[in-house]
Amino acid sequence: MTNHIGDMQNSKAIIIFGANPASNHPIAMQHILKAKQLNGAKIIVVDPRFTKTAAKSDLYCRIRTGTDIAFLYGIIRLIRENKWYDKSFIADRVYGMDDIFKECEEYTPEHVEDITGCPKELLIQAATAFATADPGCLIWNQGWTQHTIGSSNTRLGSIMQLSLGNLGKPGGGCNILRGHDNVQGSTDLGCLADTLPGYYGLSEGSWKYFAKQWNVDYEWLKGRFKTKEMMEAKGFSLGLWIHGVLDKENQKNNADTPIKALVCIGNGISTITQTHKVKEALDKLEMVVFIDPFVNDAAVITTRNDNLFLLPAATQVETEGTVVNTARSAQWRTKVIEPLYEAREDQDILFDFAKRLGFYDQYIAGMGKGDKFKWPEDATDEIARSLKTIGMQGRTAARIKKHTENWHLFESTSLKGRGPVEKEYYGLPWPCWTETHPGSPVLYNINIPVAQGGMGFRNRFGLERDGVNLLSAEGSAPKGSRINGGYAEITAKNIEELAGVTLTDAEKKAVEGKNWKTDDSGILNKYAIAAGLAPYGNARARAIVWNFIDHIPKHREPLHSFRPDLVKRYPAVKDIPNHFRTNVRYKTEQDAQVWVKNYPINIVSGRIVEHMGSGTETRASKYLSELAPEMYGELHPNLAGKLGIKDGEMMWVYGTGEGKIRIKCKYSHRVDEKSVFLPQNFSGVWQGESLLGRYPDKTAPYGSGESSNQVTSYGFDQQTSCPETKCSLVRIERA
C-alpha cells in the first residue's frame, strides 16, 4: 500500500476494483465516505456484484470476473486518446509506457464491452471521472489478486496510476486493503515461500547475511536442508502444498521427498481452492498439528484417526508485541490478561518445539542475550536491525510503544504527530531508515526531503535496459537532494561520490564490501540521508517486467472461461513446471474441455460483514452467528426460475473438480443472470453432512455451512501461485 487509509480523505476520485470495504473493511470505508462528503470525491466501483460499497458509489460498473485487465486497458486507451496522462511524470519517472500505450490500442470501448459485459458508456464515464480528477486513489483487494493473472491485475492498475502521475502524492497511490491486521507484518517477516524476512531473496548471499543477523553459523544453517539447492529454491506455497503430499511428480521437485507432516499455526487452510483436495492431503499426512485459539475448521474436515493434534494458542489480548497494518504502520499490542486454561502464547509453543528438536540456542541467538532476552522487545529490535531492505532500522520497540501510547496525538489524514511525537508519522510506516527518521506515510513522494519521508522509485533492476536509462531524469529527485536526478543504490563504493563525503579509515573498514541492505554500521544510511538521498537509489518505475512471464500485463481468459470464443484470442500461458515445487497446469487445464457446457454458471465469491476470513472465530460468536447463521448462494430470480429453484430452497452446487456443496438459495438482484455469489466464511458442513459432531466437546461454532472452496476450480497465479478463487464455473441443481 503506497499511501494509507486516512489519506483517502485527500482524494478527488477513488476507483475500487475487487474490493468491498463497506463489508470487509468498515474502518477504511468511513474514510472513503469522508472523501466523498468532505472533499467531493467521486466513488467508482468496478465489481461483478452490486455490493454494499457499490451502493455508496457515484458510478458502478459491473464486469465479468477475470476481465479487469481488459477494462483497465480500456481506461488507459481513453487516457491516451484524450491526453489525460501526465506527460512529464512519464518522461521523467517511468520506463516502458510506450509499450503499454501500444497494447491498449485494441481495447476500444466496444471491444471492452464485448469482453467484460460492461456497457461502453459506463467505461467512458468511469475513465473520464477518474482520469480528470487530481489526485485519484486506486483501491483493490483479493478480487484482484486471487486470479491466474492476479499479479498482472495489480501491475496494470499501478501502471494506470503511473500514467496519470498519481503515485507519490497524498490522495493518490495504489492501495490494497489487507484482509485483517498483520497480514502486512507477516509478509514483511518472510511468511512466504520465496523470500527470507524483509523480502531478501534465497541466494547464498542472503542466507549468509541472515546467518550473521541470527548469530548462527552458515554451515549449520545449510545443514538444516537436504541440499544447498533446496535451501535456495522456492518452497511449496500455501496454495500448492497439497500437491507435495498427493502427487509423486511434484515430489520430484522437493528432492524426491513427499511432505509427511504439517504444522499449521493461525492459518485457515480450508479457504484455499479445492478444499476436497485439502482434506485428501490432510488424511494422507503422517502427522498434523493445528495451533489456534479456536478449532481450525480443517481439523474437523479431515477424517484421519491418529496423529492429529490441537494445541490451544493464546488470543491477541493474552499476548504482546507488534502488528503491522495495511499501511505499513506498526502498533504495539499490550497484554491484557494472562492466557487462560491450557492456552499458550505462540512464541512459547515455538520455543518449546525448538528445544525438543534440538536447536533452541540457535533459535534465540539473534536476540543476543542468551536465555536472558526480554520478549517481545528484544525480538522487535532484532527485526529492526536486520530488515534493512524495507527500512526497518528506525522501528525499535521503544519507538513503537511510544507511538501506541500517544496514538491520540496523531492526525488521521496525514498521520502527523504533535507534542512528544512531533514530526513523526503514526506507526513509523516503513521505510523508516534510522532511529530519528519519522517514517514514510506516502511512498515515492519527491516533494519532501528523504529525511521527512520522501523518496523516488527504487533502483532495483540495473542502470539501463536496451540502451535506455533506468534512472530517473534530472529534476525528479526528492526535495533537497544533493543529486538532482537519478542515482544508483547506495554502496560502499559510491557513497563518497554520491553523498559528497570522505569516509575515515575506520568508516571505510566498517562498510567495506557492503551496500545499504547489508551495512550493520548504519554509516551508509547516515551519510545518504544527510545528503538527501534515499538509500535504495532513485530510478524509474518500470511498466515492463522482463523477468515475468508476461513482460507487460496481458488479458488472459480464465482457465475455466465463461467465453470459450475468447479463449483462442486470449489463451492462458503454457503449463509451468516446478512452480513453487509444483507442476502447475494452465493451458492444459483451459483446453481440457469446453467447461461452460457442463458448468454454465459463474462464481462470484467474497466475504460478508458478519464474519471474518474463514469465520472460525466469528462463527463462534452467538450474536454474529445469529446475524448470519448459515451458508447460502445468491441467485438472480430469473436464473433461479430457469433452474426451478425457489427463494429459500436448498440447491446443489457442483464444481469443475470433484467438489459439491448443498446450500440455500437466496434471491438477489446484486448478481447478474449468469452468476452465483458464494460467501467464503463458512465451514462445518461437508457435501450436505454436518460435521458439528466432530468438534471437541463445547467447541462447535454457532454458525456453520458448506465451504465455498469445495467448488472453486483449479487455478493459481502465474507468478505468485496465489489460488484462483475468483474465476470458477459451477453447475446448480435443485436439491
Side-chain angles (χ1 to χ4, degrees):
M1 188 172 191
T2 62
N3 294 41
H4 59 90
I5 292 173
D7 180 67
M8 295 171 188
Q9 296 182 44
N10 297 314
S11 303
K12 286 294 185 181
I14 300 175
I15 191 166
I16 304 171
F17 287 84
N20 181 16
S23 288
N24 306 147
H25 306 89
I27 294 175
M29 191 64 189
Q30 68 172 323
H31 294 285
I32 295 170
L33 293 177
K34 285 182 180 178
K36 180 177 182 177
Q37 295 161 1
L38 304 178
N39 206 28
K42 298 294 183 183
I43 311 300
I44 306 157
V45 173
V46 184
D47 200 293
R49 177 171 174 258
F50 188 76
T51 62
K52 292 182 178 180
T53 302
K56 295 293 185 180
S57 68
D58 296 285
L59 186 63
Y60 167 62
C61 302
R62 189 194 298 276
I63 65 171
R64 175 169 62 96
T65 57
T67 63
D68 302 84
I69 287 176
F71 193 88
L72 283 167
Y73 270 129
I75 292 178
I76 292 171
R77 188 180 189 278
L78 289 165
I79 290 171
R80 187 201 66 181
E81 291 299 298
N82 291 283
K83 294 183 170 52
W84 290 327
Y85 52 85
D86 189 324
K87 184 176 180 180
S88 61
F89 189 97
I90 293 172
D92 294 345
R93 301 187 66 190
V94 182
Y95 168 80
M97 189 62 74
D98 287 344
D99 285 39
I100 299 297
F101 283 161
K102 181 179 179 181
E103 180 71 16
C104 77
E105 179 60 34
E106 69 176 281
Y107 293 94
T108 63
E110 293 77 15
H111 189 46
V112 172
E113 179 175 341
D114 178 51
I115 295 175
T116 68
C118 179
K120 62 182 180 181
E121 293 80 10
L122 286 178
L123 167 68
I124 294 169
Q125 289 178 48
T128 304
F130 187 71
T132 58
D134 186 18
C137 167
L138 167 65
I139 295 173
W140 74 76
N141 199 346
Q142 295 168 345
W144 255 15
T145 56
Q146 293 179 352
H147 292 268
T148 54
I149 52 172
S151 52
S152 293
N153 286 336
T154 60
R155 285 173 58 204
L156 192 57
S158 302
I159 290 168
M160 177 188 71
Q161 287 292 72
L162 287 171
S163 74
L164 295 169
N166 271 332
L167 284 188
K169 61 170 65 173
C174 300
N175 301 297
I176 177 170
L177 299 178
R178 299 293 198 175
H180 55 83
D181 68 338
N182 217 32
V183 172
Q184 182 66 55
S186 67
T187 53
D188 291 347
L189 291 189
C191 294
L192 297 168
D194 57 345
T195 72
L196 290 168
Y199 311 96
Y200 287 79
L202 297 174
S203 66
E204 178 181 305
S206 295
W207 280 109
K208 286 184 174 179
Y209 170 76
F210 272 100
K212 181 180 179 183
Q213 300 305 311
W214 295 335
N215 199 24
V216 298
D217 179 65
Y218 168 74
E219 293 298 324
W220 175 87
L221 195 60
K222 187 171 67 173
R224 307 301 297 178
F225 294 83
K226 186 171 184 179
T227 65
K228 183 175 185 291
E229 289 73 25
M230 299 312 293
M231 181 184 192
E232 297 173 7
K234 294 178 182 179
F236 285 106
S237 65
L238 174 62
L240 294 172
W241 71 271
I242 58 175
H243 301 285
V245 182
L246 300 175
D247 306 323
K248 289 186 178 180
E249 281 300 310
N250 292 313
Q251 292 164 13
K252 293 178 182 179
N253 301 323
N254 194 42
D256 290 316
T257 306
I259 297 176
K260 298 180 180 180
L262 173 72
V263 177
C264 180
I265 178 167
N267 193 296
I269 60 172
S270 60
T271 61
I272 65 174
T273 50
Q274 298 185 299
T275 307
H276 58 285
K277 290 292 185 181
V278 174
K279 177 190 181 304
E280 187 179 340
L282 292 172
D283 290 347
K284 189 174 182 179
L285 288 165
E286 294 180 11
M287 183 181 75
V288 179
V289 181
F290 290 102
I291 305 171
D292 270 299
F294 297 84
V295 177
N296 192 302
D297 293 308
V300 177
I301 290 171
T302 179
T303 51
R304 61 182 304 119
N305 296 316
D306 56 11
N307 288 334
L308 172 63
F309 301 91
L310 306 181
L311 305 184
T315 62
Q316 288 192 7
V317 296
E318 298 167 312
T319 188
E320 187 165 357
T322 58
V323 293
V324 181
N325 72 8
T326 189
R328 299 166 283 107
S329 291
Q331 300 170 84
W332 193 269
R333 293 282 175 82
T334 302
K335 182 186 291 187
V336 178
I337 59 172
E338 292 299 320
L340 298 176
Y341 310 112
E342 295 178 308
R344 300 175 69 189
E345 296 176 60
D346 291 341
Q347 75 276 3
D348 288 336
I349 296 172
L350 296 175
F351 288 152
D352 204 347
F353 272 136
K355 289 175 182 177
R356 293 166 189 260
L357 294 171
F359 58 85
Y360 175 72
D361 290 342
Q362 292 90 345
Y363 194 48
I364 65 171
M367 290 182 279
K369 299 181 180 180
D371 210 21
K372 304 297 182 183
F373 61 85
K374 183 180 181 183
W375 183 273
E377 286 82 356
D378 288 339
T380 305
D381 290 342
E382 178 191 340
I383 291 167
R385 181 189 73 242
S386 303
L387 306 194
K388 301 178 179 66
T389 47
I390 51 176
M392 297 280 270
Q393 300 95 310
R395 297 205 341 187
T396 62
R399 292 188 82 194
I400 296 170
K401 282 184 177 182
K402 184 178 180 181
H403 277 223
T404 304
E405 291 163 0
N406 292 282
W407 66 268
H408 57 291
L409 297 177
F410 292 88
E411 200 272 324
S412 66
T413 57
S414 67
L415 300 189
K416 288 182 179 179
R418 60 183 187 274
V421 286
E422 186 180 7
K423 297 181 180 179
E424 296 185 356
Y425 299 107
Y426 182 66
L428 304 165
W430 60 256
C432 182
W433 301 111
T434 68
E435 291 189 38
T436 58
H437 192 271
S440 309
V442 176
L443 297 181
Y444 317 126
N445 186 353
I446 63 172
N447 294 315
I448 58 176
V450 172
Q452 296 175 23
M455 71 199 80
F457 295 116
R458 182 175 174 178
N459 170 230
R460 188 180 176 188
F461 306 103
L463 304 182
E464 64 88 25
R465 177 76 178 178
D466 297 331
V468 178
N469 184 11
L470 293 182
L471 298 180
S472 62
E474 191 72 11
S476 56
K479 184 178 180 180
S481 174
R482 183 176 182 274
I483 307 296
N484 194 35
Y487 47 88
E489 62 178 357
I490 302 300
T491 68
K493 291 183 178 180
N494 65 21
I495 182 63
E496 291 182 311
E497 177 185 357
L498 292 179
V501 297
T502 301
L503 300 183
T504 66
D505 290 341
E507 288 174 330
K508 289 179 180 179
K509 184 177 180 180
V511 301
E512 184 178 1
K514 300 294 195 323
N515 59 39
W516 64 282
K517 299 184 291 289
T518 58
D519 174 28
D520 288 328
S521 72
I523 292 170
L524 297 180
N525 274 10
K526 180 183 73 172
Y527 285 122
I529 294 171
L533 308 176
Y536 66 33
N538 184 22
R540 299 173 191 268
R542 62 174 184 163
I544 303 172
V545 182
W546 50 85
N547 51 329
F548 274 24
I549 294 171
D550 287 333
H551 292 188
I552 61 173
K554 299 277 188 180
H555 169 60
R556 296 188 180 277
E557 279 293 307
L559 301 190
H560 307 88
S561 174
F562 200 80
R563 290 284 305 275
D565 58 309
L566 291 174
V567 168
K568 293 180 180 179
R569 184 169 180 178
Y570 303 106
V573 298
K574 296 179 181 178
D575 296 358
I576 304 177
N578 198 9
H579 186 40
F580 291 86
R581 305 195 185 185
T582 304
N583 301 327
V584 182
R585 306 188 303 273
Y586 291 91
K587 194 71 171 67
T588 298
E589 179 74 11
Q590 191 177 60
D591 293 343
Q593 60 175 280
V594 180
W595 294 99
V596 73
K597 287 185 178 180
N598 297 314
Y599 303 93
I601 298 169
N602 191 48
I603 288 180
V604 180
S605 63
R607 292 169 286 170
I608 56 177
V609 70
E610 295 85 358
H611 294 304
M612 176 181 172
S614 64
T616 302
E617 296 176 344
T618 50
R619 286 184 287 104
S621 165
K622 181 186 298 185
Y623 303 104
L624 290 175
S625 293
E626 185 176 352
L627 294 172
E630 60 184 345
M631 176 63 173
Y632 59 90
E634 290 184 0
L635 284 182
H636 193 283
N638 292 349
L639 175 58
K642 292 177 182 178
L643 297 172
I645 305 172
K646 296 179 180 179
D647 186 39
E649 288 188 332
M650 301 302 290
M651 59 186 183
W652 282 104
V653 182
Y654 297 88
T656 54
E658 303 165 7
K660 63 178 182 179
I661 57 177
R662 186 175 183 270
I663 60 175
K664 182 173 286 188
C665 174
K666 181 179 180 180
Y667 281 11
S668 174
H669 289 275
R670 291 183 176 184
V671 291
D672 63 22
E673 296 184 33
K674 298 178 181 179
S675 302
V676 57
F677 170 73
L678 299 178
Q680 297 176 318
N681 311 101
F682 288 91
S683 192
V685 177
W686 186 264
Q687 299 185 1
E689 175 191 347
S690 174
L691 302 180
L692 296 184
R694 297 188 190 177
Y695 285 85
D697 187 36
K698 298 180 181 179
T699 66
Y702 291 98
S704 63
E706 300 269 17
S707 169
S708 64
N709 282 314
Q710 288 185 64
V711 294
T712 47
S713 300
Y714 177 98
F716 306 91
D717 181 81
Q718 62 193 38
Q719 291 299 144
T720 67
S721 84
C722 183
E724 181 172 58
T725 66
K726 303 300 183 184
C727 279
S728 296
L729 296 179
V730 293
R731 182 176 72 256
I732 297 179
E733 298 173 0
R734 187 170 181 268

